[in-house]
Amino acid sequence: MTTQSFDIAVIGAGIAGASAAAELARTHRVAVLEREDFPGYHSTGRSAALFSEIYGNAAVRALSRASRDFFHTPPQGFTEHPLVRKRGALHIASAQQLQSLENFAAHADLASSIRRITREEALDACSILRPDYVAAAVIEDDAADVDVHALHQAYLRQFRSRGGTLIVNAQARSLLHRGGEWHIETAAGIVRAPLVVNAAGAWADAVAKSAGAAALFIQPCRRTAVLVELPPDMRGDAWPMVIDIDETFYMKPDAGLLLISPADESAVDPCDVQAEEIDVATAIDRIEHATSLQIRRVRRSWAGLRSFAPDRSPVIGFDAVLPGFFWLAGQGGYGIQTAPAVARLAASLLRDGAAPTEFADIYLEQLSPQRFGVGAAKRSGT
């Protein structure tokens, strides 16, 4: 079995692993190990693809704000195509949800990103909404569609151009730390490196356990997406993304079709997840209840995995006990929109042990794996 040595081994070539590896490859010899035939097969390739500064909890929102400039003005040579296109995100509330809307709008860091609009303006923005369903709304004008494929591939190109090595069909079977290095056994051979980045997405806890770390209870959850046809005489290209304020559904125009979701979060084991018929039916029912649509044909349905830590914030930082073992996991459904900031933050922590000054408003203890208080006693089973 062949053995290759690097400075850093990144496990997982989804958006988290690819972006961090591209940043790290500027200064280190980096390998990315991908369990599948090609990168982005699981969560990255199945994203709803929206950039929103108001989506997620406070930690996620801060990381999204720190990513904004990258999306709108990427580094020279990073990509030939725009990464984002303005879409807007309309958050609607029924009469029974007005308090939810007030609670949402009360977050101080949302004030500059949202504006209240009248019920009539909401109905004008998306003509299929039922007048008897919408009681109030706020809109995020600057929310944007993200070209996820372009973003992911640009990071992978950047990684390779900086001398990085991508190894596919390389599931990490075991991780052993000896002699100051991690020895990672894969079907493609053994990779050695002093530092390991656990960017394995839904498999993050499994990778940690194989390295001898305690699980952080990062839970993969199924999220269903359905592409449905609009009536032949209807064009929805100019509609914003529409999100129920309690996130029981959302919908977004998608190349002449309409992408809908019941915004489900069903806990599952890490796997090649597929859409369930009941979730597809639920999405259709909720959209038909809130809009004038009668959905006659489903063009396609699929599911992706959103992996959450118990407090729903990403996990970014060195393990409390294992030497050179770095967590980059638990991005939930926010991995795309936070990728530029998370990559810079992770690379800085790995290189220097400190965050760059641009992250002054992000409390690292809210992201550190050590926030869960998992110590050596638990790891040793005592």
Side-chain angles (χ1 to χ4, degrees):
M1 184 173 285
T2 61
T3 299
Q4 300 181 73
S5 295
F6 299 90
D7 299 322
I8 302 172
V10 177
I11 299 176
I15 191 63
S19 56
E23 290 284 343
L24 290 165
R26 288 195 299 110
T27 54
H28 290 74
R29 294 178 300 116
V30 183
V32 173
L33 311 181
E34 169 55 44
R35 62 182 289 128
E36 304 295 349
D37 293 337
F38 58 89
Y41 178 77
H42 292 286
S43 298
T44 297
R46 309 181 194 192
S47 168
L50 186 80
F51 176 79
S52 168
E53 295 183 21
I54 67 174
Y55 191 39
N57 65 19
V60 170
R61 296 195 299 268
L63 290 166
S64 298
R65 290 193 298 271
S67 298
R68 176 184 171 81
D69 288 348
F70 186 100
F71 279 108
H72 287 274
T73 312
Q76 186 174 5
F78 183 74
T79 179
E80 296 179 357
H81 308 286
L83 294 175
V84 291
R85 183 178 63 180
K86 189 172 181 178
R87 167 65 58 194
L90 179 66
H91 297 256
I92 61 172
S94 66
Q96 293 73 38
Q97 296 174 305
L98 291 177
Q99 190 58 54
S100 293
L101 188 73
E102 291 301 319
N103 294 343
F104 176 72
H107 291 291
D109 64 328
L110 271 59
S112 63
S113 300
I114 62 173
R115 62 184 177 92
R116 293 179 182 268
I117 62 174
T118 66
R119 175 175 166 275
E120 290 70 26
E121 288 174 316
L123 297 174
D124 285 342
C126 183
S127 58
I128 59 173
L129 289 170
R130 289 187 183 274
D132 59 351
Y133 185 89
V134 179
V138 297
I139 192 165
E140 181 189 12
D141 292 305
D142 291 335
D145 291 338
V146 178
D147 189 333
V148 176
H149 180 74
L151 177 70
H152 190 212
Q153 291 302 312
Y155 271 125
L156 290 171
R157 283 195 303 271
Q158 188 178 69
F159 171 65
R160 294 188 185 97
S161 71
R162 292 172 173 173
T165 300
L166 173 64
I167 308 173
V168 297
N169 295 311
Q171 178 180 350
R173 294 173 174 171
S174 67
L175 292 88
L176 178 65
H177 191 265
R178 67 170 184 263
E181 287 187 321
W182 285 98
H183 296 243
I184 308 167
E185 182 183 342
T186 79
I190 295 173
V191 170
R192 297 167 50 184
L195 298 173
V196 169
V197 177
N198 180 7
W203 286 265
D205 269 351
V207 167
K209 287 179 180 178
S210 68
L216 296 185
F217 303 102
I218 294 174
Q219 177 62 59
C221 296
R222 184 177 64 245
R223 171 59 59 92
T224 304
V226 187
L227 275 178
V228 301
E229 293 185 354
L230 294 169
D233 59 345
M234 183 177 290
R235 298 291 297 174
D237 297 343
W239 295 342
M241 184 169 187
V242 177
I243 305 167
D244 172 69
I245 195 61
D246 290 327
E247 205 171 342
T248 62
F249 69 85
Y250 58 78
M251 59 184 184
K252 188 182 82 161
D254 190 315
L257 303 172
L258 189 67
L259 185 153
I260 67 174
S261 174
D264 49 326
E265 287 184 3
S266 303
V268 295
D269 292 331
C271 63
D272 183 7
V273 68
Q274 304 296 319
E276 300 282 344
E277 288 186 11
I278 184 62
D279 295 323
V280 173
T282 298
I284 292 172
D285 179 70
R286 291 176 181 174
I287 295 300
E288 290 187 338
H289 180 65
T291 74
S292 60
L293 282 182
Q294 294 295 309
I295 296 171
R296 304 301 184 192
R297 185 178 176 189
V298 171
R299 183 71 66 86
R300 186 165 72 94
S301 63
W302 68 93
L305 293 175
R306 296 155 53 94
S307 299
F308 293 97
D311 60 4
R312 298 180 72 85
S313 291
V315 183
I316 307 170
F318 281 103
D319 187 79
V321 174
L322 293 184
F325 190 90
F326 190 93
W327 290 80
L328 185 58
Q331 289 88 355
Y334 321 111
I336 301 298
Q337 68 179 44
T338 61
V342 167
R344 295 194 302 273
L345 175 59
S348 183
L349 292 172
L350 280 155
R351 287 192 192 107
D352 309 318
T357 55
E358 66 179 293
F359 295 100
D361 65 336
I362 298 174
Y363 297 99
L364 294 184
E365 59 267 25
Q366 295 177 353
L367 305 175
S368 170
Q370 301 183 35
R371 70 186 187 266
F372 298 110
V374 179
K378 183 171 181 180
R379 293 166 195 274
S380 63
T382 61

